[in-house]
Amino acid sequence: MYRPMYRLMMTESRNDRGTPPLREGESADMAAVTHYLRRLAEDGHGFAMDPRRVRSLAGGFNNRIYEVDTSAGIYLLKVYPGDRARRLEREFAALTRLSSLEEVPNAVFADPMAAGLNAPVLIYDKLPGSAVEPASMNREDLALLIGIAVAVHAVRDPGDLLLATPAGPSRPGDCLAYMDGTMRAMSASPAMNDPPFHLAVERLLDLRRCLAMADLRPALWADAPPRLCHGDLRPANVIKAERDGVGLVDWEHAGIMDPFYEIAGFFCHPESAALASGLREESIAVYCEKSADPHAFEKMAVYQIVLPVQWCVRILSLIEGYDRQAVQSWNELRPLEALWEDLGRYAGLAGKRLGTGMRGSV
């Protein structure tokens, strides 16, 4: 299907011409967004002409999202934190590089510091559909998602210096280095004075020692260059259309990393816990079969041993810093009690997988 292409430019907005007074029931944020769109229309940007409706959508902890319904189409206006221009640039570059994929939004405008909003802004086509419910994902949905991942991971040249920078691990050893650094920091935390936390740290150290004994096959990655990846592949970033289609949004973390880590990470993510286990295993096998890597199945097996332990470390780190954290890897803030339950579930999974992935017994 033909996709209209715009001349995409990182553009500085003109100075603010004054924000009009608030209308009854209008928030300051919404007033600033509508005023900004009016300025874009006055500057000749067709996508901002004749806005019929502007409404706020639920954003993440970092971003604010607005739906803009105009005579030219329906767009999403994404406002990043004021100091996160790099995320705008990375997402803009990713959408531009992947513009041939219908399952990826088409970027139409990028502004590193929007006047009146005092923050970076990206405007892109709204993909049809809504955020997927993991429990409702079926075999066809997952097959389509795997197809998108295969197409993205096949990109050999990211086409942008920012996208060519690492967005995640390039091999399992990077995961181990992350665990070791995080564990050292937590071992020196005042939280160690809390007996349950102290016991959890000791349990994770046991799991890490088991990983050191496991056969993680490092030679498999000797000649495996990282590829372009989404960088935050999880169900919350998958859009499901009414007519059996899926799309992938939120590309602000895109960059090069190990594609097998990305796929294994999707199916190990807390948001994916509701997926049927049979579909999970089947989808992983489909990705490996479509991969050109001769060691695909072996690499995926390694990450399935490593990732549950990594998630234990990540979750315990969230628990240790619960009072000061601003971001979690979920759409909604997880209650502290729920994080402890997550930790127990991942620790059990890690112990089980390490027991079958060891050279000897645990």
Side-chain angles (χ1 to χ4, degrees):
M1 182 182 295
Y2 171 74
R3 295 186 66 182
M5 290 298 295
Y6 296 83
R7 184 181 181 187
L8 305 176
M9 300 178 64
M10 296 293 288
T11 308
E12 294 274 5
S13 293
R14 290 192 282 173
N15 291 333
D16 195 353
R17 301 164 188 153
T19 303
L22 297 180
R23 292 175 290 184
E24 184 176 354
E26 185 178 42
S27 69
D29 285 349
M30 186 63 71
V33 168
T34 54
H35 189 52
Y36 178 67
L37 289 168
R38 190 176 304 120
R39 290 199 304 270
L40 292 179
E42 291 172 357
D43 288 342
H45 295 287
F47 59 83
M49 301 290 186
D50 187 26
R52 296 181 288 228
R53 182 180 68 170
V54 180
R55 66 186 182 109
S56 177
L57 300 180
F61 287 101
N62 292 300
N63 310 308
R64 288 173 287 144
I65 307 291
Y66 299 87
E67 182 183 87
V68 182
D69 187 353
T70 76
S71 56
I74 301 178
Y75 304 93
L76 294 184
L77 185 150
K78 184 173 185 177
V79 183
Y80 304 78
D83 60 349
R84 294 293 188 268
R86 277 285 186 177
R87 291 190 179 182
L88 160 71
E89 294 169 9
R90 189 180 288 263
E91 185 159 16
F92 181 83
L95 298 187
T96 303
R97 181 66 179 87
L98 301 172
S99 61
S100 61
L101 297 180
E102 295 180 19
E103 302 87 354
V104 175
N106 187 38
V108 299
F109 187 75
D111 191 338
M113 188 53 65
L117 295 172
N118 300 316
V121 164
L122 178 66
I123 299 176
Y124 51 90
D125 291 336
K126 181 184 179 183
L127 293 179
S130 57
V132 71
E133 290 291 337
S136 70
M137 293 191 78
N138 56 36
R139 180 175 287 101
E140 290 72 25
D141 297 333
L142 291 170
L144 291 171
L145 180 62
I146 291 298
I148 299 171
V150 169
V152 174
H153 296 164
V155 174
R156 295 182 178 274
D157 178 13
D160 184 274
L161 289 177
L162 195 56
L163 292 181
T165 59
S170 61
R171 60 196 63 230
D174 296 335
C175 299
L176 303 184
Y178 158 79
M179 293 181 210
D180 292 341
T182 305
M183 292 297 295
R184 281 195 297 270
M186 286 194 294
S187 295
S189 169
M192 287 292 285
N193 295 321
D194 178 51
F197 186 87
H198 187 278
L199 288 174
V201 169
E202 292 300 315
R203 171 59 174 150
L204 293 196
L205 289 173
D206 285 342
L207 291 173
R208 177 62 182 91
R209 284 189 284 268
C210 289
L211 270 180
M213 297 169 60
D215 183 4
L216 300 183
R217 312 288 298 278
L220 297 179
W221 280 266
D223 300 312
R227 295 296 186 90
L228 180 62
C229 292
H230 179 274
D232 191 20
L233 188 61
R234 56 193 176 101
N237 291 329
V238 178
I239 300 297
K240 183 174 180 179
E242 294 179 358
R243 291 184 292 180
D244 299 326
V246 300
L248 197 52
V249 298
D250 288 346
W251 290 81
E252 62 190 74
H253 300 288
I256 60 168
M257 60 192 289
D258 186 348
F260 292 98
Y261 173 85
E262 174 150 274
I263 298 301
F266 175 86
F267 289 103
C268 194
H269 197 283
E271 291 177 3
S272 299
L275 293 174
S277 60
L279 291 180
R280 182 184 296 111
E281 294 162 1
E282 179 181 319
S283 300
I284 289 174
V286 169
Y287 179 83
C288 291
E289 289 167 358
K290 291 180 177 292
S291 171
D293 193 311
H295 306 295
F297 284 93
E298 296 166 281
K299 288 182 174 181
M300 198 67 76
V302 169
Y303 277 123
Q304 287 180 298
I305 295 172
V306 170
L307 277 168
V309 184
Q310 179 172 312
W311 266 108
C312 286
V313 174
R314 291 180 66 180
I315 292 169
L316 191 59
S317 178
L318 290 174
I319 291 171
E320 186 273 332
Y322 193 82
D323 292 336
R324 64 178 182 271
Q325 68 183 321
V327 178
Q328 288 186 357
S329 299
W330 297 267
N331 269 349
E332 298 179 358
L333 191 68
R334 295 280 285 172
L336 192 57
E337 296 79 6
L339 287 176
W340 279 107
E341 292 175 2
D342 293 336
L343 180 62
R345 179 167 61 86
Y346 277 102
L349 180 61
K352 179 179 178 181
R353 292 189 176 172
L354 279 166
T356 59
M358 300 284 294
R359 290 193 185 101
S361 60
V362 178

